[in-house]
Amino acid sequence: MVKHNNMVPRTNVMKYWQRFVRVNFNQPAQAKRRQQKRAEKAAKLAPRPAAGNLRPVVKPPSLRHNFRLRIGKGFSTAELKQAGIHTRLAPTIGISVDRRRRNRSVEGMQRNVDRLKEYMGKLVYLTNRKRKGKKNVDSRAKLKECKQNTHKHVIPVPRIKYDGARAITADEKKFMAFSTLRIARAEKRLVGPRQKAKAAKAAKTD
């Protein structure tokens, strides 16, 4: 509200608004173009999977997102070793490898090992070269019979089923998480000194 005997301000509301309006009438055409590009990429990769290499299933960081699963960069060397796949062989048969990745839980590692085993069970070698001790060896003559995998992630990402809310048990109320962690850390730290003291005591008694 203007006060006193001052100049009335000009708000400049008379703008040429049509100059700043953006419309996206090309959305259907863009969608069709993306679909055509996906088809071209799949045809170029055929008979290999259209999604490219197989990637692991990992949990995102932070407390906000670590309850769900997503696709990672590559399988760790420990996962490949447990699945019986050499790290140099993996990229040649469509498996991504990430040497820097470390496994932090047994459940996550087993999930990816099962994923690798499922992939290897469905894998078909299209080669004329004879491999000793390999079961999945097929000749190039069967190339027309093979169907291309067009799934987004080669193998779908599994869904985690969580239990609903429940009452806290008496054992859970008695459990002291902080004390348990402190005791575990202390035991790990004192392994060496305790062994040294035990050996010194045994040598003294002898």
Side-chain angles (χ1 to χ4, degrees):
M1 189 69 187
V2 179
K3 290 185 178 180
H4 309 296
N5 191 19
N6 296 325
M7 186 189 300
V8 178
R10 184 179 178 183
T11 56
N12 195 20
V13 294
M14 302 282 289
K15 290 187 173 68
Y16 182 43
W17 62 271
Q18 291 178 345
R19 184 186 300 164
F20 307 106
V21 172
R22 278 192 173 186
V23 291
N24 297 320
F25 294 133
N26 62 341
Q27 281 183 342
Q30 292 286 352
K32 190 174 182 181
R33 187 183 297 176
R34 287 195 298 271
Q35 186 181 3
Q36 288 173 352
K37 284 187 176 180
R38 284 194 296 268
E40 288 172 8
K41 183 183 176 183
K44 194 182 291 184
L45 290 172
R48 291 171 291 174
N53 290 350
L54 179 73
R55 299 185 184 277
V57 174
V58 297
K59 283 191 173 184
S62 78
L63 191 65
R64 182 180 180 181
H65 301 289
N66 67 358
F67 64 91
R68 63 185 185 88
L69 294 174
R70 67 169 174 83
I71 293 295
K73 182 182 179 183
F75 292 92
S76 66
T77 52
E79 290 167 352
L80 291 166
K81 186 177 180 181
Q82 194 164 341
I85 304 168
H86 199 278
T87 51
R88 290 185 182 178
L89 175 68
T92 64
I93 56 176
I95 299 173
S96 296
V97 182
D98 187 5
R99 296 177 186 275
R100 296 178 296 176
R101 206 171 130 254
R102 299 287 180 270
N103 294 100
R104 302 296 182 187
S105 67
V106 180
E107 294 84 0
M109 184 174 182
Q110 192 59 45
R111 192 185 296 120
N112 284 323
V113 169
D114 295 341
R115 189 174 175 84
L116 284 168
K117 287 181 179 177
E118 183 183 353
Y119 178 78
M120 292 301 292
K122 297 177 180 179
L123 183 65
V124 177
Y125 288 94
L126 292 171
T127 178
N128 290 327
R129 189 173 136 203
K130 293 181 180 179
R131 295 170 181 264
K132 291 183 180 180
K134 297 288 183 183
K135 295 180 181 178
N136 300 340
V137 178
D138 287 343
S139 63
R140 293 271 179 185
K142 292 190 176 182
L143 180 62
K144 293 181 181 179
E145 298 177 9
C146 297
K147 291 184 179 179
Q148 188 183 22
N149 186 322
T150 56
H151 195 273
K152 188 179 180 181
H153 303 304
V154 184
I155 297 175
V157 178
R159 289 188 176 182
I160 302 176
K161 292 183 179 180
Y162 295 98
D163 299 329
R166 60 176 178 81
I168 301 171
T169 61
D171 294 334
E172 289 173 346
K173 287 181 180 179
K174 290 178 183 177
F175 179 71
M176 305 293 287
F178 182 75
S179 304
T180 307
L181 287 171
R182 292 283 298 201
I183 292 166
R185 278 199 211 102
E187 286 178 353
K188 184 180 178 182
R189 188 178 66 251
L190 297 171
V191 168
R194 282 174 180 171
Q195 287 179 354
K196 191 176 180 181
K198 191 176 180 181
K201 188 178 180 181
K204 191 176 181 181
T205 54
D206 293 343

